[in-house]
Amino acid sequence: MKPRIGVYICHCGTNVAATVDVEAVTEFAATLPGVVIARHYTYMCSEPGQALIKEDARTLGLNRVVVASCSPRMHEPTFRAASHEGGVNPYQVEMANIREQCSWVHPDRHEATDKAKALVYAAVMKAAHLEPLEEREAPVTPGALVIGGGVAGLVAALDIADAGFPVHLVERSDRLGGRVAELNRTFPDLEPVAEWLPALVDQVRRHPNITVYLNSRVTDITGFVGNFEARVGPIEAGLAPAQIQVGAIVIATGYNVFDPRLKPEFGYGIYPQVVTTLELEQRLSSGDLTVNGKTPKEVVFIKCVGSRDQQLGRPYCSRVCCMISAKQAQLVRQALPDARVTVFYMDVRTFGKRGEEFYDEARRAGVRYRRGNVSEIYRRGERVVVRVEDTLLARTVEHEADLVVLAVGMEPRPEAADIAALLKLPRSADGFLLEAHPKLRPVDTAVDGVFLAGCCQGPKDIPDTVAQAKAAAASALIPLMRGVVPMEAATAVVDPELCAGCGMCVEICPYSAPALDPLWGVSRVNAVLCKGCGACAVTCPSKAIRLQHFTPDQILAQVEALVGW
Amino acid sequence: MAQKPAALVIGAGIAGIQAALDIADAGYPVYLVEREPSVGGRMAQLDKTFPTLDCSSCILTPKMVSVGQHPNIELMTYSEVVAVEGEAGAFHVTIRRKPRYVEEDLCRGCGACAQACRMRGRVVDTFNQGLSKRSAIYVPFPQAVPLIYTVDPETCLYLTRGVCGKTFLCKDACPADAINFEQKERIVKVDVAAIIVATGFDLMDPRTKPEFGYGVYPNVITGLEFERLSSASGPTGGKVVLNGNEPQDVVFIHCVGSRDPHTGVPYCSRICCMYTAKHAHLVRDKLPNARITVFYIDMRAFGKGYEEFYDRVKEERVIYRRGEPSEVYRRGDRLVVRAEDSLLGRTVEVEADLVVLATAVVPRADTPAVAQLLGLACSPDGFFQEAHPKYRPVETARTGVFLAGCCQSPKDIPDTVAQAKAAAASALVVLHQTRSR
Amino acid sequence: MDIQQHAREIGLGLDLFSCIQCGKCTGGCPVSMTTVLNVRSLVYGALIGDIAGPIHEEALWDCTCCFTCVERCPKDVRPAEVIIALRSLLVEEGKVPSTIGNALMGIFRQGNPLGYAREDRIAWMDGLEVKSAQEGCETLLFTCCSSAYDIRAQAATKALVRVLQAAGVDLGHLGTEETCCGNEVRRVGEMGLFEMLVEEGKPLLEEVGVARMVTTSPHCMNTFRHEYQLGMDVLHYTQALARLLEEGRLNMTGRVEKVVTYHDPCFLGKQNGIFDEPREVLKAIPGVKFVEMDRIRDRSLCCEGGGGRMWFEGTNTEGRLAFQRVQEAADTGAEILAVACPFCMAMLDDAVKVKGLSERLRVMDIAELVAMAL
């Protein structure tokens, strides 16, 4: 069919229009071969912007649409949908990124306009070669895998199970409850963990839809959204591994606490007086706060141990330590009314609901807050000395203490890296698992059907963990409840006439999509596994593999347009 | 198959939008009720978002368009829930659909009416925080969903005085004959199995802290006003300009009202540290030579990538000074911000041409009324009370009613989205159980 | 020394542990730019038991007790009270600036800080008919020691009596039994003397049996209202005048063709929220063109006369706030700077002279302006 192309240039408010002469680009686009209409508009992604495309597609009989705006990562689905409504095949929509790759990075108006024209030209040339593709759906295995039996995993498992789906809950240790089970009381109400966590664990244990695998880990995952297959292996030998099929996966592998030996200046491991917040939690549970058989008179908390520290490669804030310190300081005041309790801090981050009020309560309970990042700890007689600049006095002080509590930060678990490797999940710079979008997709990942819950994504407190776990459950429930998932249409196809059966595609594919047909000795790509990454197409020495939507003639048309510019 | 039970989502800011989308994507019908003429809420007013500096409308608009087009979502904008009866699985909800005086199925959003309106350029534009003027017939912003004009009954000459010149200029201008002053409010009744409350928040009026001179000095503005000033779609086209002047010295003040039991806000508003850091970055971006000072008490950069963003902003020559300013006054044609820099141990006067106040996030004024309507409790801070602070953060005392976003307590966008999805998960469980009953 | 405990023992509401060291107190402290006084660091030192660093004994007396810090503190620490607590320790040790010591002695001996004879307390009444409160009256007039003895302030007192009587107020006065209210005594930390003043003053006031007291000074009003627990309404005279206006009892037939601005006294405005009444009265005076300064109401600048500063020059006599204040007033184009407190009158009137503004600006009490319009 002869290309009838509509070109739409977006101002993106002033994001594009302030730098690029959108009118000039529109006038230029109108002269390009195959272009039937060229328009510009303030926000192409807005309803009237999309309406322009639909209206033109219908009235002018467009069969190709080019939108010059932001990155396709942002709005390709939007414009594909709009074009589709107007009767254009969604795969005959091409985007020219004139924002991230043009207006935002080129300050000169003349040059930016020129580049925008080139990008539009290349997109139009490619669009002429685009072929219609069909989107298909795949069925979804009803069931979910939840990795991690801490609070995040428990909550996610319960929501999915309550919505009627089988859940496989895999936990490395021999019990459910995770880190929270190690806590004594929780902020801000000083509620004993024992009052709610065992009930939660029990609910999971007794749920008819939940199968719990203790002392187990996930050793292999294959498949794709809707159709994952996982192998659950027992950590101790002797038991048979389980093979489970699920439609969605929730990762809730939790966190590790920072090892304060990496900050040798605090003398952790050397002085019995120096403990971590986690260790104090256990002492508060047991009720024994003595050090060397004596009741402490001076107790010091040190915040940000292993957090906000670029030297250690941990530039991030661990989000919970301020509240944990405030909680433990209050509990120490209750347990040892005669002890003086001092907290050294840089910023007090008590941001959550009732957080600031809790900090107020801690101070009113007699906890002294002093501003300064402690520099070192050394021995003096039976005590240790905390040396710090009190930045509000602008003076270095030596503060003697009988008990020093290090508020250790959170760090990613090494096991999370294993899971990430199995699923090819990216991690953020801080080492935690990376969400699909930091603002609007905080529990989704780059892999469809795989979702994040709790501290594997980044430090968070219990309510935020629970909210995120439920959020992951909601994301997981969408494919499970729909029963089908849309499949990538831009997949690789093998021309059996050209394929020599060398198997290089099988080796290179990260998703195990191609396989050699045992009968014919040629490669075939499983369309449901293929992600359309194109690795096989460029590897194939016989040029037998074609990646649909990125065919050589499409790419070359685009390249030629730019080369000839 | 019997008809699937539906959910009601009250409020179509990012929380309500996200909750509605998740439920609808899972295949259940949703009634999404929004009192304003458009969905989008507060997030639609923002310029960029921290810490990635994504343009807020760029990431929000697709979601707004989605709720407008989703086959499982019935969008009811310019509408209010007036009564809720029944129980989880079988709530009977009464919704008042306010008259827009514009026929929704006829209006094409061309804006000819607003161009023609006699009040054009005379009505305070609340979307732009009063920094610009609009007509009495309007859409709040160009990307509004639905893109249907609304006659503002408070300012329309005809609706307030019964007469608008010899002829209706808007009606004459409308090519679709969509304007209908005979329109009356309609009462709609729907049955739903679950309800998500996502009614959002207000910002404290900084006049309650008179020492900062807000309302006295035009160049003392709020953070939200700064968003509109900085936004490409705002009244200045994204230029940080006041009365035609680019500020040379910009001072940001944290905790205006927050952490202050005196103003009834004993809590931390949770978002101000980071949006102020973002504002400081935006000023640096737009005014490379400006001197930028941020006064803070505790810098609360707690979220993922936040501390790193704070580090970056400091490297961009933004001076962070520890101390809560005590007052703002005039000196010549400039302002003076007086504060103790507690790290110097000395009181300083910092001259400024622009002072931006990070005002507290407060419960919406109608929270008690909504609480009564829905049978919900409020926490001492005035926000809706969740069932349990640790492990039931989105449920309420009333089974089948869930909370999403800042109506429960202040939170940033990622936490709001997570909580909205969490509320959706709880609602999906109720919907499933209702269906299989 | 546990300052927190000491503060509690002497009846102060100071709450050191609530402090988050935000610095809002020092930031708003009127003298923090001109002296070494830093109330935030005093709170901190008291909290951590280390006041050796921040304390500068002499600067403790610089505090005017304007209570801006108390009003603005987000955490209800009542920062100024750490100063009062520390002052009280110095008082106990006898380490008091001699001028303050003399004033306290005067109060102890003669019932006034100026050291004048008790029998001269009613000298200002010369030429006026003021009935003795003990004979029974509707309203008790309480004159501040300054209002009673200071020559400039006496004129305002006289004017006030004329105005009240013209409005038909049945006015009485305690005569020579009237004794210093002790508002400043408490704020310089002489808690024993203050207690004595209350013990003797309270029955005296209550025996009169009136329902309403009108004070010339916001300072007296403040302590009577909050620290005496009296069974009567205590009004500042501007409130009384505003009420009379509202009731239509205050008829001003004359005119005052002047541009007038107004200075909010800290003890009236910031501490007791009385901002509108003085303005209402001024605006009601026929002929007055009322203009405002920039720093008004909650943001008003202290005149530096409170908290014992009437008896202590301060550590920075060059950088007095009153100098700045009268300049601000002059810059508005006002011919008259209206005041409603005898301390403000003294501080600002003096500053006008020092700054050579006498030709342009006159400091007058609101009562005097009303009297001119009678």
Side-chain angles (χ1 to χ4, degrees):
Chain A
M1 219 192 321
K2 195 165 165 275
R4 291 182 61 79
I5 306 173
V7 183
Y8 300 88
I9 319 289
C10 181
H11 301 191
C12 195
T14 55
N15 276 304
V16 170
T19 322
V20 170
D21 182 345
V22 285
E23 279 178 29
V25 178
T26 310
E27 279 168 28
F28 163 77
T31 66
L32 295 173
V35 173
V36 184
I37 181 85
R39 297 181 188 274
H40 61 89
Y41 188 71
T42 342
Y43 287 102
M44 280 309 300
C45 59
S46 67
E47 247 182 36
Q50 295 186 45
L52 282 178
I53 298 178
K54 288 180 220 171
E55 186 79 8
D56 285 353
R58 281 195 212 102
T59 55
L60 303 172
L62 301 182
N63 55 24
R64 310 280 197 284
V65 168
V66 170
V67 184
S69 59
C70 51
S71 159
R73 282 182 66 94
M74 193 74 79
H75 275 310
E76 195 172 58
T78 313
F79 296 122
R80 278 184 173 176
S83 304
H84 187 56
E85 277 189 49
V88 179
N89 184 285
Y91 288 85
Q92 290 180 303
V93 175
E94 183 62 21
M95 290 189 70
N97 182 351
I98 58 166
R99 195 181 72 172
E100 284 87 342
Q101 293 175 357
C102 187
S103 68
W104 277 1
V105 287
H106 302 299
D108 184 274
R109 187 173 173 82
H110 177 74
E111 284 177 359
T113 304
D114 190 57
K115 180 169 174 183
K117 285 181 186 173
L119 292 170
V120 168
Y121 178 39
V124 167
M125 296 315 282
K126 181 183 177 191
H129 289 84
L130 289 175
E131 294 157 18
L133 295 176
E134 202 188 324
E135 282 175 330
R136 285 165 301 160
E137 287 180 333
V140 172
T141 311
L145 167 65
V146 176
I147 309 175
V151 162
L154 296 175
V155 169
L158 272 179
D159 272 359
I160 298 171
D162 280 345
F165 296 96
V167 178
H168 302 274
L169 178 61
V170 180
E171 164 60 38
R172 285 182 66 94
S173 77
D174 59 357
R175 55 162 182 82
L176 296 176
R179 293 282 182 197
V180 177
E182 297 172 42
L183 304 182
N184 170 33
R185 287 166 189 267
T186 52
F187 59 79
D189 293 329
L190 300 179
E191 190 181 4
V193 167
E195 284 189 7
W196 58 272
L197 185 67
L200 192 66
V201 169
D202 201 43
Q203 225 182 322
V204 168
R205 281 243 168 238
R206 287 184 306 160
H207 204 293
N209 287 347
I210 302 177
T211 313
V212 177
Y213 303 77
L214 293 178
N215 298 307
S216 300
R217 62 197 167 108
V218 175
T219 54
D220 191 30
I221 301 175
T222 56
F224 58 97
V225 55
N227 296 274
F228 289 107
E229 187 154 343
R231 186 198 301 271
V232 179
I235 288 171
E236 283 165 44
L239 290 160
Q243 196 75 17
I244 55 178
Q245 278 90 34
V246 293
I249 298 174
V250 175
I251 304 179
T253 47
Y255 65 95
N256 268 355
V257 292
F258 173 73
D259 178 1
R261 285 178 191 85
L262 295 173
K263 292 205 55 96
E265 64 267 35
F266 291 146
Y268 177 81
I270 300 170
Y271 306 126
Q273 292 93 338
V274 182
V275 303
T276 67
T277 35
L278 210 60
E279 288 160 357
L280 185 72
E281 199 75 33
Q282 287 149 13
R283 289 183 186 220
L284 286 165
S285 295
S286 72
D288 179 16
L289 292 175
T290 57
V291 178
N292 291 334
K294 286 183 185 155
T295 303
K297 290 261 177 247
E298 281 284 349
V299 181
V300 167
F301 285 82
I302 300 177
K303 290 207 204 176
C304 296
V305 177
S307 304
R308 304 181 69 183
D309 192 331
Q310 296 182 0
Q311 286 288 331
L312 288 168
R314 285 168 184 77
Y316 54 87
C317 162
S318 289
R319 194 163 165 143
V320 296
C321 327
C322 283
M323 286 296 283
I324 290 175
S325 308
K327 174 191 75 176
Q328 294 190 343
Q330 285 185 63
L331 292 174
V332 169
R333 285 283 301 156
Q334 284 174 16
L336 309 173
D338 296 332
R340 201 158 69 141
V341 180
T342 307
V343 179
F344 285 101
Y345 70 97
M346 291 193 278
D347 293 284
V348 179
R349 296 182 169 176
T350 47
F351 55 84
K353 187 161 183 168
R354 271 225 348 105
E356 182 71 12
E357 294 91 325
F358 189 67
Y359 170 40
D360 287 344
E361 285 157 18
R363 295 192 320 284
R364 294 207 179 103
V367 179
R368 287 170 171 80
Y369 275 76
R370 297 184 70 168
R371 193 175 184 282
N373 194 5
V374 171
S375 199
E376 56 188 316
I377 294 175
Y378 39 83
R379 193 181 349 244
R380 181 173 293 164
E382 291 192 348
R383 289 186 141 180
V384 288
V385 175
V386 174
R387 191 174 201 277
V388 57
E389 191 217 4
D390 183 320
T391 59
L392 298 174
L393 291 177
R395 184 146 54 77
T396 303
V397 294
E398 286 188 328
H399 189 106
E400 291 191 7
D402 308 302
L403 177 61
V404 177
V405 186
L406 307 179
V408 283
M410 291 187 184
E411 60 185 28
R413 283 180 83 100
E415 299 92 309
D418 301 342
I419 303 281
L422 281 181
L423 284 161
K424 302 189 168 63
L425 288 180
R427 291 188 288 157
S428 36
D430 53 23
F432 291 98
L433 296 176
L434 180 64
E435 65 284 357
H437 188 278
K439 298 305 269 194
L440 295 187
R441 297 180 65 195
V443 301
D444 301 350
T445 68
V447 180
D448 291 343
V450 177
F451 309 103
L452 306 176
C455 294
C456 65
Q457 181 259 350
K460 49 186 71 70
D461 60 17
I462 297 173
D464 288 347
T465 292
V466 171
Q468 214 209 10
K470 292 177 75 71
S475 280
L477 282 174
I478 290 171
L480 297 179
M481 284 182 153
R482 286 174 74 96
V484 288
V485 284
M487 277 164 43
E488 179 60 56
T491 54
V493 287
V494 183
D495 183 344
E497 300 288 318
L498 294 177
C499 177
C502 69
M504 285 177 73
C505 54
V506 179
E507 241 168 77
I508 196 87
C509 178
Y511 307 101
S512 316
L516 286 181
D517 187 313
L519 184 60
W520 301 99
V522 295
S523 172
R524 285 187 197 284
V525 174
N526 181 345
V528 295
L529 293 178
C530 178
K531 290 261 172 214
C533 73
C536 56
V538 295
T539 309
C540 179
S542 318
K543 297 193 173 18
I545 305 185
R546 211 171 69 109
L547 179 62
Q548 300 182 92
H549 202 57
F550 296 93
T551 63
D553 57 333
Q554 291 166 1
I555 304 272
L556 286 173
Q558 198 172 13
V559 172
E560 274 163 22
L562 289 172
V563 169
W565 187 255
Chain B
M1 189 174 74
Q3 207 190 334
K4 286 184 172 180
L8 168 71
V9 178
I10 308 173
I14 183 59
I17 287 174
Q18 184 62 52
L21 282 176
D22 277 4
I23 297 170
D25 281 346
Y28 287 92
V30 180
Y31 298 101
L32 177 56
V33 177
E34 165 59 50
R35 82 164 66 202
E36 296 295 322
S38 171
V39 304
R42 293 286 182 202
M43 192 177 166
Q45 291 178 285
L46 308 183
D47 177 20
K48 302 257 161 81
T49 57
F50 60 79
T52 48
L53 300 171
D54 275 315
C55 140
S56 187
S57 25
C58 301
I59 58 177
L60 178 65
T61 308
K63 298 232 178 205
M64 290 171 50
V65 172
S66 292
V67 290
Q69 295 175 346
H70 205 293
N72 289 343
I73 297 178
E74 183 168 343
L75 186 57
M76 299 189 197
T77 50
Y78 212 49
S79 302
E80 286 171 24
V81 173
V82 290
V84 174
E85 285 153 3
E87 57 186 0
F91 289 113
H92 312 294
V93 182
T94 310
I95 299 160
R96 186 164 70 94
R97 308 212 58 185
K98 296 178 277 187
R100 285 179 193 269
Y101 306 103
V102 175
E103 295 295 345
E104 299 200 358
D105 44 358
L106 294 179
C107 177
R108 296 198 295 248
C110 70
C113 51
Q115 287 291 319
C117 176
R118 270 181 233 280
M119 291 297 286
R120 187 177 161 207
R122 289 161 64 189
V123 179
V124 170
D125 186 340
T126 46
F127 182 81
N128 277 334
Q129 293 293 299
L131 296 172
S132 65
K133 300 282 174 70
R134 58 164 167 81
S135 302
I137 186 165
Y138 70 108
V139 284
F141 52 104
Q143 304 98 310
V145 172
L147 194 79
I148 296 167
Y149 276 75
T150 302
V151 178
D152 179 354
E154 305 281 313
T155 54
C156 169
L157 290 176
Y158 177 71
L159 291 175
T160 52
R161 298 188 199 169
V163 61
C164 174
K166 286 190 182 119
T167 170
F168 293 108
L169 293 180
C170 52
K171 272 173 91 86
D172 295 348
C174 179
D177 200 18
I179 297 167
N180 173 14
F181 282 106
E182 302 303 309
Q183 221 177 43
K184 297 278 178 290
E185 75 168 39
R186 284 184 298 134
I187 297 294
V188 180
K189 290 186 187 259
V190 299
D191 287 343
V192 299
I195 299 174
I196 292 177
V197 185
T199 47
F201 62 97
D202 276 340
L203 289 166
M204 197 194 77
D205 182 350
R207 286 178 191 88
T208 49
K209 306 287 288 177
E211 64 265 31
F212 293 127
Y214 180 85
V216 179
Y217 308 124
N219 37 351
V220 177
I221 65 172
T222 67
L224 198 54
E225 287 166 13
F226 181 85
E227 294 283 348
R228 297 314 301 150
L229 206 56
S230 176
S231 170
S233 61
T236 58
K239 288 202 170 66
V240 177
V241 168
L242 278 158
N243 310 322
N245 296 319
E246 279 189 352
Q248 290 303 302
D249 286 274
V250 183
V251 172
F252 292 91
I253 302 178
H254 281 186
C255 296
V256 175
S258 304
R259 307 179 68 183
D260 188 342
H262 276 197
T263 55
V265 185
Y267 53 86
C268 161
S269 291
R270 193 162 167 152
I271 56 173
C272 327
C273 283
M274 287 309 294
Y275 77 59
T276 299
K278 175 193 74 181
H279 290 170
H281 164 83
L282 292 172
V283 171
R284 170 59 68 236
D285 192 39
K286 289 162 199 271
L287 305 172
N289 298 319
R291 284 176 295 268
I292 307 169
T293 307
V294 181
F295 281 104
Y296 72 101
I297 307 173
D298 290 291
M299 181 62 199
R300 298 185 166 174
F302 57 83
K304 188 161 179 171
Y306 292 4
E307 181 76 13
E308 294 89 328
F309 186 76
Y310 170 44
D311 288 338
R312 166 189 173 171
V313 170
K314 282 185 294 177
E315 280 164 22
E316 290 173 344
R317 292 178 292 123
V318 173
I319 307 297
Y320 274 79
R321 300 188 79 160
R322 193 181 183 284
E324 180 62 8
S326 195
E327 54 192 63
V328 175
Y329 40 84
R330 192 173 9 229
R331 179 174 296 160
D333 54 1
R334 307 193 82 191
L335 295 178
V336 175
V337 178
R338 193 180 200 274
E340 191 215 359
D341 182 325
S342 61
L343 301 177
L344 289 179
R346 182 147 54 75
T347 303
V348 294
E349 287 183 326
V350 176
E351 292 203 359
D353 320 295
L354 175 61
V355 176
V356 185
L357 308 179
T359 45
V361 172
V362 294
R364 285 188 71 104
D366 62 0
T367 302
V370 175
Q372 196 172 17
L373 181 74
L374 292 161
L376 302 180
C378 288
S379 341
D381 57 16
F383 293 96
F384 292 123
Q385 171 91 57
E386 66 280 7
H388 188 279
K390 298 310 264 194
Y391 69 98
R392 295 174 69 192
V394 300
E395 289 154 82
T396 66
R398 189 170 185 185
T399 312
V401 181
F402 308 103
L403 305 175
C406 292
C407 66
Q408 183 255 348
S409 80
K411 49 186 74 69
D412 57 23
I413 295 171
D415 289 345
T416 292
V417 170
Q419 213 210 10
K421 291 177 75 73
S426 286
L428 283 173
V429 169
V430 173
L431 291 168
H432 164 76
Q433 289 171 349
T434 304
R435 194 184 176 200
S436 40
R437 202 177 282 157
Chain C
M1 179 72 213
D2 187 337
I3 305 295
Q4 177 65 69
Q5 199 183 334
H6 173 69
R8 215 162 279 155
E9 280 164 9
I10 59 174
L12 297 172
L14 175 70
D15 184 1
L16 295 174
F17 282 93
S18 286
C19 180
I20 55 170
Q21 287 291 300
C22 70
K24 186 137 187 157
C25 46
T26 300
C29 172
V31 300
S32 71
M33 293 290 290
T34 51
T35 72
V36 298
L37 186 70
N38 183 328
V39 63
R40 191 268 314 158
S41 81
L42 288 170
V43 167
Y44 196 56
L47 174 76
I48 63 172
D50 181 355
I51 46 174
I55 200 166
H56 294 269
E57 280 185 12
E58 206 188 0
L60 279 180
W61 305 104
D62 277 322
C63 173
T64 67
C65 293
C66 70
F67 273 37
T68 306
C69 57
V70 175
E71 294 306 313
R72 292 189 188 153
C73 173
K75 298 289 187 185
D76 230 354
V77 172
R78 301 187 70 79
E81 293 188 347
V82 79
I83 295 173
I84 298 176
L86 291 169
R87 284 177 173 182
S88 83
L89 291 173
L90 294 178
V91 168
E92 280 173 20
E93 292 172 40
K95 290 198 217 159
V96 181
S98 58
T99 46
I100 293 178
N102 292 341
L104 295 172
M105 192 56 79
I107 292 166
F108 180 67
R109 289 191 178 147
Q110 305 290 340
N112 72 81
L114 302 149
Y116 291 117
R118 182 174 281 280
E119 47 277 24
D120 292 340
R121 192 163 185 107
I122 50 169
W124 62 271
M125 288 187 191
D126 196 24
L128 292 166
E129 290 267 329
V130 185
K131 120 174 141 170
S132 164
Q134 286 82 350
E135 291 168 21
C137 60
E138 179 199 1
T139 300
L140 173 70
L141 176 71
F142 188 91
T143 46
C144 170
C145 301
S146 291
S147 302
Y149 290 106
D150 179 272
I151 292 169
R152 178 67 191 87
Q154 278 178 346
T157 316
K158 287 183 173 180
L160 178 63
V161 169
R162 277 203 295 274
V163 170
L164 291 173
Q165 288 179 338
V169 177
D170 174 24
L171 210 60
H173 189 271
L174 291 172
T176 54
E177 282 192 66
E178 191 183 69
T179 300
C180 177
C181 67
N183 187 67
E184 312 314 296
V185 174
R186 185 169 193 268
R187 279 147 190 79
V188 298
E190 182 34 301
M191 297 310 188
L193 179 55
F194 179 71
E195 264 172 46
M196 189 197 94
L197 292 172
V198 176
E199 269 168 35
E200 292 177 1
K202 194 176 167 187
L204 182 70
L205 290 162
E206 285 176 342
E207 275 163 22
V208 177
V210 295
R212 178 190 300 161
M213 182 203 305
V214 170
T215 70
T216 56
S217 169
H219 295 251
C220 310
M221 178 199 75
N222 183 67
T223 193
F224 287 145
R225 271 194 185 181
H226 305 298
E227 288 149 5
Y228 269 63
Q229 277 93 41
L230 292 173
M232 65 176 88
D233 247 8
V234 183
L235 296 184
H236 182 249
Y237 78 86
T238 56
Q239 290 180 292
L241 295 184
R243 280 196 199 176
L244 292 170
L245 263 178
E246 202 183 301
E247 292 163 7
R249 290 167 64 185
L250 186 56
N251 295 316
M252 289 181 270
T253 46
R255 291 180 72 80
V256 181
E257 301 285 353
K258 295 284 183 193
V259 183
V260 179
T261 191
Y262 169 66
H263 166 81
D264 288 280
C266 301
F267 279 78
L268 190 65
K270 282 174 182 162
Q271 293 189 43
N272 285 288
I274 301 163
F275 298 114
D276 294 326
E277 290 90 332
R279 290 178 168 80
E280 282 162 21
V281 174
L282 285 170
K283 286 175 188 168
I285 300 172
V288 161
K289 181 173 176 262
F290 185 70
V291 293
E292 290 276 25
M293 291 182 278
D294 175 44
R295 302 173 72 174
I296 54 168
R297 303 175 68 96
D298 309 78
R299 297 188 300 125
S300 177
L301 185 65
C302 176
C303 76
E304 239 178 316
R309 289 293 304 279
M310 287 300 290
W311 320 319
F312 178 66
E313 282 289 339
T315 57
N316 184 349
T317 49
E318 302 295 308
R320 274 201 213 153
L321 301 176
F323 297 165
Q324 200 179 323
R325 194 57 168 167
V326 295
Q327 191 61 54
E328 282 175 26
D331 289 346
T332 63
E335 300 152 272
I336 290 169
L337 171 55
V339 295
C341 166
F343 292 176
C344 298
M345 167 69 86
M347 303 305 287
L348 298 172
D349 196 40
D350 189 44
V352 164
K353 288 175 191 134
V354 175
K355 298 303 279 182
L357 291 166
S358 305
E359 298 293 306
R360 287 168 59 191
L361 188 70
R362 236 184 112 194
V363 181
M364 289 185 74
D365 194 277
I366 290 180
E368 291 179 303
L369 289 164
V370 175
M372 279 167 73
L374 284 177

